[in-house]
Each structure stands twice: as C-alpha cells, then as structure tokens.
Amino acid sequence: MKTLGLTRMIKVEVVVRANDVDVVRELLRTAGVSGWTSLTGVSGFGHHGNHEGRLLFNERSGLVMVIAVLPEQHGEPVIAGLRQMFGDRPGVMFISETWVSRPEYFTRQPPQ
Amino acid sequence: MKTLGLTRMIKVEVVVRANDVDVVRELLRTAGVSGWTSLTGVSGFGHHGNHEGRLLFNERSGLVMVIAVLPEQHGEPVIAGLRQMFGDRPGVMFISETWVSRPEYFTRQPPQ
Amino acid sequence: MKTLGLTRMIKVEVVVRANDVDVVRELLRTAGVSGWTSLTGVSGFGHHGNHEGRLLFNERSGLVMVIAVLPEQHGEPVIAGLRQMFGDRPGVMFISETWVSRPEYFTRQPPQ
C-alpha cells in the first residue's frame, strides 16, 4: 500500500443497537476521533453466544454500524471504551488495518 | 494490533441477492459460525464479467451483504461452501483480516 | 489467507454524497474496474476537519458507500482519480487488503 502513497490507519467497525449509537459517538468524540460513518439497515444474529442468558442479537434489526478510522496509536482508549460499553450493551466490534490518502483528515483532534 | 490486546480473525463479506441470504446463513450455521451481521440497501454492478452470458449484477438493487467473523482455521468449509454456492447464484465474497477483543464470541460453536 | 486458496486484492471503500456517485462510478469504469457494490443508508460526520471552512460531513445523511475490489497493481489510477475528486467534493476513502476466491472476476477489463 505504501507504493500507492497511502498511510496506515486502523478501521474500527462497531455494530450496536440504534439506541446506543450516541454512546459510541460520545466515546469517539472524547477520544479525539475526528469523524465517522454510520450505516443503517443493519441486522444481526448471535455473534457471540449469550449475554446474560439471551442471544446478544436475535436476527434483530434496527442496528447501526459505526465506522471510524484513526491512527493505531490512538486506538487504545477507543477500544477500551468500547470494550467497557459492551459490558452492559449488546454489540460487536471488528478492528482492521486500512490505508488512507489524506492522513491529516483522520488525525486525532483535541477533545472538545 | 496485538499491542491493542486483540485477536486475529477473518472477516467474510458476502454480497448476494436477498433471496439467497438464507442459503448463506444456513451455510454459516452448518459451519458453526456463531453470528453474523447483515446490511440491506445494497446494490451492485458487474463485479465479475459474465455469468452464463449475463452480467452477474446489473446495477441491481435488493442485494444483501452478510458479514461473518470467524477464526481463520475454521474458514475453509465456509469459503468452500460459498464458492460452490456461487456456481449457480450470482454474488461476490471478500475475505479480510480483522481483529476482535472478545474472541470467544466468534469461536466456532458445535453445529446445531 | 493463501492457505485458503485466496488471491490478494485491494478493497477501495469510498463515502460520497449520493449526487457524486456517478463521478465515482465513471472513474472506476474508466480505470477498468469490473464491478462495484454500493451501500445506501449511510451518514457521516466530520472525518477530517474542514473543507473550505465547512465540516466535510455534518451528520449528513444521503451518503453512499461504494466498494470496489481490484488488483493492487491497478490501484494507482483509481486512487489518483479519487484524490483529485476529493479536491472539490466532500468524501473519504479507505483502502484495505482483501482476498478473493475468483480473481478473474475482479481483473481489470479493457476500458469501455
């Protein structure tokens, strides 16, 4: 990817109930993440055994996927915050390597 | 990613016609995949020359993207099953590396 | 991934205003990309400071994510074209490594 003039980042994809999107956004904002993309029309099934005896998602619709891209060195508070959030809210997150052409757009801003 | 306390998995993204989603889900379930996320509002174009002389997708809407995350060592039956499914149904799949914080949620369950 | 019989490609994910999707598609077509998948129901916030003094996206809905998969060696004109497009249109792109089972479906076609 370096041959394409791109800069390595991490992409955090989070699937949560629509009601919990504000929690995710606040967590991202607090961690200084400068932007995100949200997808609606998301449903999920299972993904992880049970949560307090229930399936976390049971072909439930009304979910949202929030996608944020940030430098890996800024990932720790985001991932720690999401992990804590999943202690009492259903959801999943996937973290992947991705590459961008304008890294300054994804660079941590001072928390507001 | 290891520095973030994450565990490597593979993410399988499959785009198929809405009518074929049940085939994908059954295939995942049989392979012991413990959950998935579905996105609607998906359309596609081409992506792969022709299928029996027709474009596989021709700006067709009504497609669904199914996303499943699983350990790479459990990927073979899923990928083999999807490849076989694509023998007579239009669609595409992409497999990527991804990382998760709670690997037990994505670990193969005994087939039901 | 090679153990799964897969071939490495790059996945280009582009988030733009619905009005700009045709520009992206034309750019992909000109670069010989043989197909793409589009997701609607997309909204975005910020993601990159300001664009001519305005937030690029301000929790704006009506965005589209276009996903294209192509060989890395064909990525340069696509990425250069998108970078140029972002000079006067809001949007983000992420480029990731992905793997496919039928590489011929994603191979560059002669531009039309």
Side-chain angles (χ1 to χ4, degrees):
Chain A
M1 300 290 187
K2 283 180 185 166
T3 64
L4 296 171
L6 302 173
T7 301
R8 187 178 178 279
M9 296 271 164
I10 63 171
K11 179 168 66 167
V12 179
E13 293 169 293
V14 184
V15 179
V16 292
R17 298 180 301 195
N19 285 346
D20 294 333
V21 170
D22 284 348
V23 179
V24 176
R25 289 177 184 164
E26 184 57 31
L27 195 153
L28 292 172
R29 196 180 290 118
T30 303
V33 174
S34 59
W36 50 80
T37 299
S38 301
L39 307 181
T40 57
V42 178
S43 62
F45 173 77
H47 243 311
H48 21 49
N50 289 280
H51 176 71
E52 299 176 1
R54 294 171 289 115
L55 275 175
L56 281 194
F57 293 137
N58 186 7
E59 210 56 74
R60 177 173 189 142
S61 59
L63 305 178
V64 175
M65 178 181 284
V66 179
I67 304 171
V69 170
L70 55 151
E72 180 168 0
Q73 66 267 31
H74 298 154
E76 196 283 332
V78 173
I79 290 165
L82 290 169
R83 195 179 274 151
Q84 184 176 2
M85 187 191 77
F86 289 137
D88 57 10
R89 295 168 199 266
V92 287
M93 66 171 163
F94 322 128
I95 293 93
S96 309
E97 183 182 68
T98 196
W99 298 74
V100 303
S101 78
R102 300 170 298 173
E104 68 279 10
Y105 283 6
F106 301 94
T107 299
R108 188 175 188 163
Q109 307 291 316
Q112 293 153 18
Chain B
M1 300 292 187
K2 283 180 185 164
T3 64
L4 296 170
L6 302 173
T7 302
R8 187 178 178 278
M9 296 271 165
I10 63 171
K11 178 168 67 166
V12 180
E13 294 169 292
V14 184
V15 179
V16 292
R17 298 179 303 194
N19 285 346
D20 294 332
V21 169
D22 284 347
V23 178
V24 176
R25 289 177 184 164
E26 184 57 30
L27 195 153
L28 293 171
R29 197 181 289 120
T30 302
V33 173
S34 60
W36 50 81
T37 299
S38 301
L39 306 182
T40 57
V42 178
S43 62
F45 172 77
H47 241 312
H48 20 51
N50 289 281
H51 176 72
E52 300 176 1
R54 293 171 289 117
L55 275 174
L56 281 194
F57 293 137
N58 186 8
E59 211 56 73
R60 176 172 191 145
S61 59
L63 305 178
V64 174
M65 177 181 284
V66 179
I67 304 171
V69 170
L70 55 152
E72 180 168 359
Q73 65 268 32
H74 298 154
E76 196 283 332
V78 173
I79 290 164
L82 290 168
R83 194 179 274 151
Q84 184 175 3
M85 187 191 77
F86 289 138
D88 56 10
R89 295 166 199 267
V92 287
M93 66 171 163
F94 322 129
I95 293 94
S96 308
E97 183 181 68
T98 196
W99 298 73
V100 303
S101 78
R102 301 169 298 174
E104 67 280 9
Y105 283 7
F106 300 94
T107 300
R108 187 174 189 163
Q109 308 290 316
Q112 293 153 19
Chain C
M1 300 290 188
K2 283 180 185 166
T3 64
L4 295 171
L6 301 173
T7 301
R8 188 177 178 279
M9 297 271 165
I10 63 172
K11 179 168 65 167
V12 179
E13 293 169 292
V14 183
V15 179
V16 292
R17 298 180 303 195
N19 285 346
D20 294 333
V21 170
D22 283 347
V23 178
V24 176
R25 289 178 184 164
E26 184 57 29
L27 195 153
L28 293 172
R29 196 180 291 119
T30 302
V33 174
S34 60
W36 50 80
T37 299
S38 300
L39 306 181
T40 57
V42 178
S43 62
F45 173 77
H47 241 311
H48 22 51
N50 290 281
H51 176 72
E52 299 174 1
R54 294 170 288 117
L55 274 175
L56 280 195
F57 294 137
N58 187 6
E59 210 56 73
R60 178 173 190 144
S61 59
L63 305 179
V64 175
M65 178 181 284
V66 179
I67 305 170
V69 171
L70 55 152
E72 180 168 0
Q73 66 267 33
H74 298 154
E76 197 284 331
V78 173
I79 290 165
L82 290 168
R83 195 179 273 150
Q84 185 176 2
M85 186 191 77
F86 290 137
D88 57 11
R89 295 167 199 266
V92 288
M93 67 171 162
F94 322 129
I95 294 93
S96 308
E97 183 181 69
T98 195
W99 298 73
V100 303
S101 78
R102 300 169 298 173
E104 67 280 9
Y105 283 6
F106 301 94
T107 299
R108 186 174 190 165
Q109 306 292 316
Q112 292 152 18

